[in-house]
Amino acid sequence: MIWNEHKECMSREQMRELQGKRLHKLVDILYHNVPFYRKKLQDADISPDDILSIDDIVKLPFTTKQDLRDNYPFGLQACPQSEIIRIHASTGTTGNPTIVGYTRKDISIWSECMARALTSFGITKEDRVSVAYGYGLFTGGLGAHYGVENLGASVIPASTGSTEKHVKLIKDLGITGIACTPSYALYLTETMNKLGITKDDISLRVGAFGAEPWTDNMRHEIENNLGIKAYNIYGLSEIMGPSVSYECECQHGSHINEDHFYPEIIDPETLKPLPYGQQGELVFTTLTKEGMPLLRYRTRDLSILYDGQCECGRTNVRMGRIMGRSDDMLIIRGINVFPSQIESVLLSIPECAPHYQLIVDRVNNLDVLTVQVEMRQEYFVSGFDTLTPITTLENKLKDKLKSVLSISAKVQIKAPNTLTRSEGKSKLIIDNRKIE
Ligand code: DLL
């Protein structure tokens, strides 16, 4: 089943023509409404009339997360404030979060993209779908929620936490679909085991998983544990939220909602566009967004684009799984974490030396972040005889990290000069999750 056959199965020529028209309109709007973009376009000697087809996109400047931070909070907004009906904010940025405002039309397009994804996963209005992405500033919860409602299925806004109650509802309400992070799906199965509930006691049959990298091994484990079919859904808050792309039943990559988000792959070093089939950094241009449209936004996600025919009948370009990042961002329990955020917390505490190591493990299917940091010599008398008691310091650090990162971390204070110093590439992060 296909939600919007006209847009999901367009001929390549028609799609490119539509994209070209939308790009021209977008550049015109940005040129006239967003001083940041007008300057960038003028600096590059480009006027909206230079954009005659989608091929002209390569003439346009890139946008980075730093540009979003520099224009905090509303500098990139392209419409009057009165048109904005919802604002989300990113997790995991140093300093200012990334603010994204949506107009009514943006929310309606997002709900349509989400409905396309859910339909592609085989979900219909007969289903009951529990949304267990976090509700709030994160786009996962509300994004999926509106999609389920748009489709006409029943939504159960479970959010995260209260997992035992959630398991009970899955069983008692005969919930058939679930949308959550893949690691939460694994955690759910642990909770089911603890409660003595098996996959035969529940009616779940399909899951929409994303917001963090996951492998085919995880897919099989989730499918076996829950007795469901597991689909990948991708997105990022700067562009829209979940449903920038979604898998179909063929599961050979995820179809991009290309009539709204134009994808490119670039070499992250040279910034030159790469052809289909080559791995590089994903870049998106929002072709129809009104609230905060972005030109050639560098996602930092590494992937591959495929343009071959898909057996499902959809013609939209597909992207491969996210294979990594071209920056050092970690995704821990679905929350984006930059090492620089942790570093700034450590350096704000006088007892901490600037020598630290971050270790990420997966324990009982949950990500655990451990921050090891050396104490400064002047606070460290001898042995573990310290001027500030270790537990006081550890607790202080834990609280500060929690308030900055929105996730809890374990903290281990180390004696001075005990963490390995590396001469070459820093070994700051040890990721034992093996998700790649
Ligand atoms: O994670 C939006 C989302 C919510 C997507 C629910 C899917 C489901 P952000 O918090 O802005 O938005 O994080 C975006 O998460 O750049 C990727 O690095 C990563 N990511 C998202 N989906 C996937 C996926 C949401 N399916 C960042 N596979 C992106 C791998 C993913 N990584």
Side-chain angles (χ1 to χ4, degrees), residues 38 71 74 138 202 238 241 290 313 321:
R38 181 164 50 247
N71 287 284
F74 298 124
F138 176 55
I202 59 172
E238 295 89 328
E290 296 178 331
R321 271 183 190 282

Side-chain angles (χ1 to χ4, degrees), residues 101-128:
Y102 299 79
T103 64
R104 191 173 299 282
K105 186 167 160 225
D106 292 337
I107 297 289
S108 151
I109 287 174
W110 187 5
S111 310
E112 146 116 24
C113 291
M114 204 50 225
R116 291 182 191 177
L118 296 167
T119 306
S120 170
F121 303 158
I123 295 175
T124 71
K125 58 190 302 220
E126 304 303 326
D127 282 288
R128 289 191 192 111

Side-chain angles (χ1 to χ4, degrees), residues 133 138-139 210-213 232-233 235-237 242 301 322 325 331 336:
Y133 287 114
F138 176 55
T139 52
E212 64 183 10
N232 197 7
I233 181 161
L236 63 163
S237 42
D301 288 322
I322 303 302
R325 304 257 320 159
I331 304 185
N336 305 345

Side-chain angles (χ1 to χ4, degrees), residues 11-285:
S11 75
R12 295 305 304 153
E13 297 71 47
Q14 279 177 320
M15 177 60 82
R16 292 187 72 76
E17 200 187 321
L18 178 71
Q19 289 169 331
K21 279 192 188 137
R22 288 183 168 176
L23 184 67
H24 172 82
K25 189 170 165 204
L26 170 70
V27 173
D28 195 54
I29 290 171
L30 291 174
Y31 194 88
H32 292 103
N33 295 346
V34 184
F36 164 82
Y37 275 121
R38 181 164 50 247
K39 177 159 189 331
K40 270 203 159 195
L41 290 165
Q42 281 171 343
D43 288 350
D45 204 15
I46 295 167
S47 86
D49 290 340
D50 295 323
I51 307 301
L52 303 174
S53 82
I54 193 64
D55 294 328
D56 292 324
I57 197 160
V58 295
K59 298 178 183 163
L60 297 171
F62 290 102
T63 309
T64 63
K65 200 170 188 82
Q66 191 57 45
D67 293 328
L68 269 61
R69 286 188 193 133
D70 292 347
N71 287 284
Y72 176 86
F74 298 124
L76 294 183
Q77 200 168 292
C79 67
Q81 185 59 41
S82 56
E83 298 300 311
I84 297 289
I85 63 161
R86 191 184 314 159
I87 295 174
H88 281 280
S90 69
T91 55
T93 38
T94 323
N96 291 333
T98 309
I99 302 294
V100 186
Y102 299 79
T103 64
R104 191 173 299 282
K105 186 167 160 225
D106 292 337
I107 297 289
S108 151
I109 287 174
W110 187 5
S111 310
E112 146 116 24
C113 291
M114 204 50 225
R116 291 182 191 177
L118 296 167
T119 306
S120 170
F121 303 158
I123 295 175
T124 71
K125 58 190 302 220
E126 304 303 326
D127 282 288
R128 289 191 192 111
V129 182
S130 142
V131 174
Y133 287 114
Y135 278 66
L137 292 173
F138 176 55
T139 52
L142 283 170
H145 183 107
Y146 272 57
V148 179
E149 284 192 350
N150 189 23
L151 185 73
S154 318
V155 63
I156 294 92
S159 196
T160 48
S162 312
T163 308
E164 293 196 5
K165 184 170 180 189
H166 189 190
V167 170
K168 182 175 164 54
L169 292 180
I170 289 176
K171 182 168 164 281
D172 295 350
L173 306 189
I175 289 174
T176 46
I178 184 162
C180 62
T181 60
S183 46
Y184 186 77
L186 290 173
Y187 179 63
L188 197 72
T189 65
E190 302 258 310
T191 311
M192 280 170 52
N193 292 344
K194 219 171 68 190
L195 298 173
I197 292 175
T198 72
K199 60 181 175 189
D200 298 329
D201 300 321
I202 59 172
S203 316
L204 271 187
R205 56 174 197 85
V206 59
F209 303 115
E212 64 183 10
W214 55 308
T215 56
D216 268 338
N217 284 343
M218 276 175 87
R219 191 201 300 265
H220 297 141
E221 202 173 327
I222 294 170
E223 291 188 334
N224 288 337
N225 290 347
L226 291 175
I228 63 170
K229 186 120 184 73
Y231 290 92
N232 197 7
I233 181 161
Y234 166 87
L236 63 163
S237 42
E238 295 89 328
I239 297 300
M240 188 58 104
S243 75
V244 169
S245 76
Y246 53 93
E247 279 182 331
C248 61
E249 70 264 24
C250 303
Q251 299 193 314
H252 290 144
S254 297
H255 290 278
I256 296 170
N257 277 309
E258 257 194 289
D259 47 330
H260 300 296
F261 317 114
Y262 183 76
E264 294 173 89
I265 290 279
I266 60 160
D267 178 326
E269 301 297 326
T270 64
L271 305 187
K272 292 267 175 298
L274 294 174
Y276 288 124
Q278 274 195 37
Q279 182 180 318
E281 184 182 321
L282 256 177
V283 168
F284 284 107
T285 298

